[in-house]
């Protein structure tokens, strides 16, 4: 999609090109600031590997990145290599004084770092970035987290790398181990999910099983992943629009809440449905991607847009009374990654 393109979704709303203006605003020569008050950076909260990694994902995905977007990718890559220790684990939190405030670990941030590095190694147009990202990915991919979601995020990077290099053994082993860590749904046909609670970035789990099925020639994993994603999509459609699970999640057998909805849920669903669409060609997945885009453009439970066209920032959450107008890194990255899936037609 070319910069400034004004395309439309199925609902007739104009779809902007993925905006990087606020991401530039949130980024300095060290990394990506985590929080903002409205569009103003809150430097006192510092940086986190989680967001920098997602920044590397979206900058690496751009099909024709500008020089400015490439500079962002370079900074995010430098941050991640600085965050990584010699054993492949990562720090997560760096304060504004450039001091790490935690010890290296294998939590979600490790997984997201590998997601970013794998995406950069597979997709960056710059050879030196691909090479450096591959080195850091390979070091990190030798580790294993006990957290299924951390493994899930890492596997998304492994899948990116395997699509570009099907013979990459560390990526194949990581993807296979992540599929095992995610598990399989229980016998309840009304809850076809491997865990008793839906929490955050839920669609990513289904996406990893779909990717493992396709890339590792594992038909049962592909079937399970598609079944999980189908159910997840069905329970998040209300009145023909997307209504994603709130930040509180949903416990099996418990009440289903509607707010507060987080942009990361929409972005995860868009990613997973785009992967399913590529593999199957089924219209249901293309429609789901368009619904995800529409959610940001106002086709949601409150009927309000979830980004600020003046700043390019994504709003931090959808409450019962409307959007949280703060424009932090996570929500802005979710906006960008979702809009990157839009294609004409």
């Amino acid at each position: 999609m070319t910069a400034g393109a004004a395309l439309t979704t199925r609902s007739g709303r104009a779809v902007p090109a993925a905006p990087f203006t606020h991401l530039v605003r949130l980024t300095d020569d060290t990394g990506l600031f985590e929080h903002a008050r409205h569009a103003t950076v809150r430097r006192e909260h510092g940086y986190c590997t989680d967001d920098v990694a997602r920044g590397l994902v979206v900058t690496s995905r751009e099909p024709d990145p500008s020089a400015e977007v490439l500079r962002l990718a370079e900074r995010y890559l430098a941050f991640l290599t600085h965050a990584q220790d010699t054993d492949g684990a990562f720090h997560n939190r760096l304060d504004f004084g450039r001091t790490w405030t935690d010890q290296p670990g294998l939590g979600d941030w490790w997984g997201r770092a590998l997601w970013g590095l794998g995406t950069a190694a597979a997709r960056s147009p710059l050879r030196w970035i691909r090479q450096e990202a591959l080195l850091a990915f390979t070091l990190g991919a030798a580790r294993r987290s006990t957290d299924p979601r951390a493994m899930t995020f890492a596997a998304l990077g492994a899948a990116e790398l395997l699509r570009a290099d099907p013979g990459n053994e560390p990526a194949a082993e990581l993807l296979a181990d992540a599929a095992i860590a995610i598990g399989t749904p229980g016998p309840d046909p009304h809850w076809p999910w491997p865990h008793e609670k839906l929490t955050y970035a839920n669609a990513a789990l289904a996406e990893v099983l779909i990717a493992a099925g396709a890339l590792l020639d594992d038909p049962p994993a592909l079937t399970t992943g598609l079944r999980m994603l189908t159910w997840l999509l069905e329970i998040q459609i209300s009145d023909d629009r997307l209504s994603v699970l709130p930040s509180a999640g949903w416990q099996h057998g418990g009440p289903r809440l509607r707010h507060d909805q987080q942009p990361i849920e929409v972005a995860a669903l868009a990613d997973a449905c785009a992967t399913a669409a590529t593999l199957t060609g089924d219209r249901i997945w293309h429609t789901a991607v368009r619904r995800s885009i529409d959610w940001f453009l106002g086709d949601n439970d409150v009927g309000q847009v979830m980004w600020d066209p003046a700043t390019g920032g994504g709003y931090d959450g959808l409450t019962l009374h409307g959007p949280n107008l703060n424009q932090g890194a996570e929500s802005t990255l979710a906006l960008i990654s979702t809009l990157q899936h839009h294609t004409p037609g």
Side-chain angles (χ1 to χ4, degrees):
M1 187 164 59
T2 58
L7 306 170
T8 59
T9 66
R10 66 187 184 92
S11 62
R13 292 180 174 86
V15 180
F20 284 85
T21 49
H22 190 54
L23 201 61
V24 171
R25 186 179 295 112
L26 293 174
T27 303
D28 67 0
D29 62 351
T30 297
L32 175 59
F33 287 104
E34 182 176 10
H35 293 299
R37 184 179 64 248
H38 295 167
T40 302
V41 174
R42 299 194 66 179
R43 290 185 171 89
E44 68 271 23
H45 292 286
Y47 321 83
C48 73
T49 293
D50 272 319
D51 289 332
V52 173
R54 284 184 283 229
L56 188 57
V57 169
V58 300
T59 53
S60 299
R61 282 179 175 178
E62 274 295 281
D64 186 22
S66 65
E68 190 170 51
V69 170
L70 288 174
R71 283 194 294 272
L72 292 178
E74 292 171 8
R75 291 173 194 173
Y76 300 157
L77 176 62
F79 185 100
L80 294 181
T81 56
H82 178 53
Q84 189 175 37
D85 72 5
T86 56
D87 294 323
F90 288 83
H91 291 279
N92 187 33
R93 299 205 167 272
L94 186 72
D95 67 22
F96 186 50
R98 299 184 180 182
T99 299
W100 293 109
T101 61
D102 63 352
Q103 295 300 313
L106 302 174
D108 281 3
W109 60 93
W110 164 82
R112 288 196 178 101
L114 292 189
W115 183 11
L117 292 166
T119 305
R123 297 204 195 190
S124 175
L126 299 180
R127 185 169 178 266
W128 75 265
I129 285 184
R130 295 196 304 272
Q131 291 176 330
E132 184 66 24
L134 180 60
L135 285 173
F137 174 90
T138 303
L139 177 61
R143 304 296 302 271
R144 294 293 181 269
S145 176
T146 58
D147 184 341
R149 262 187 178 62
M151 290 292 289
T152 294
F153 298 134
L156 293 174
E160 288 278 14
L161 198 48
L162 280 173
R163 293 183 188 108
D165 178 15
N168 189 294
E169 291 186 7
E173 292 170 0
L174 179 57
L175 180 57
D177 287 346
I180 293 171
I182 290 168
T184 56
D188 185 351
H190 302 295
W191 190 267
W193 200 255
H195 311 131
E196 284 297 292
K197 185 176 183 179
L198 292 162
T199 55
Y200 59 95
N202 296 294
L205 280 69
E207 183 181 2
V208 165
L209 292 181
I210 292 168
L215 295 168
L216 303 178
D217 192 20
D218 185 351
L222 177 59
T223 299
T224 299
L226 289 171
R227 180 162 66 98
M228 288 168 53
L229 187 59
T230 299
W231 176 71
L232 194 62
L233 179 61
E234 288 174 350
I235 65 173
Q236 296 186 107
I237 298 294
S238 175
D239 296 329
D240 201 35
R241 64 174 176 265
L242 196 61
S243 179
V244 293
L245 293 170
S247 55
W250 188 21
Q251 181 73 38
H252 185 191
R256 164 74 187 274
L257 304 177
R258 294 287 174 182
H259 296 282
D260 296 338
Q261 297 177 29
Q262 300 296 305
I264 187 177
E265 293 306 314
V266 182
L269 189 64
D271 278 358
C273 290
T275 294
T278 299
L279 289 174
T280 70
D282 290 348
R283 293 303 306 171
I284 182 178
W285 307 122
H286 293 286
T287 300
V289 172
R290 290 199 298 270
R291 280 197 173 105
S292 300
I293 293 169
D294 276 353
W295 185 91
F296 282 98
L297 302 182
D299 196 4
N300 49 54
D301 287 343
V302 179
Q304 295 192 34
V305 297
M306 286 300 297
W307 76 297
D308 184 350
T311 65
Y315 294 140
D316 277 358
L318 183 64
T319 76
L320 186 63
H321 307 290
N324 173 344
L325 297 179
N326 292 332
Q327 300 164 37
E330 180 183 283
S331 54
T332 297
L333 291 162
L335 167 72
I336 293 170
S337 67
T338 303
L339 291 177
Q340 283 178 322
H341 289 302
H342 183 70
T343 56

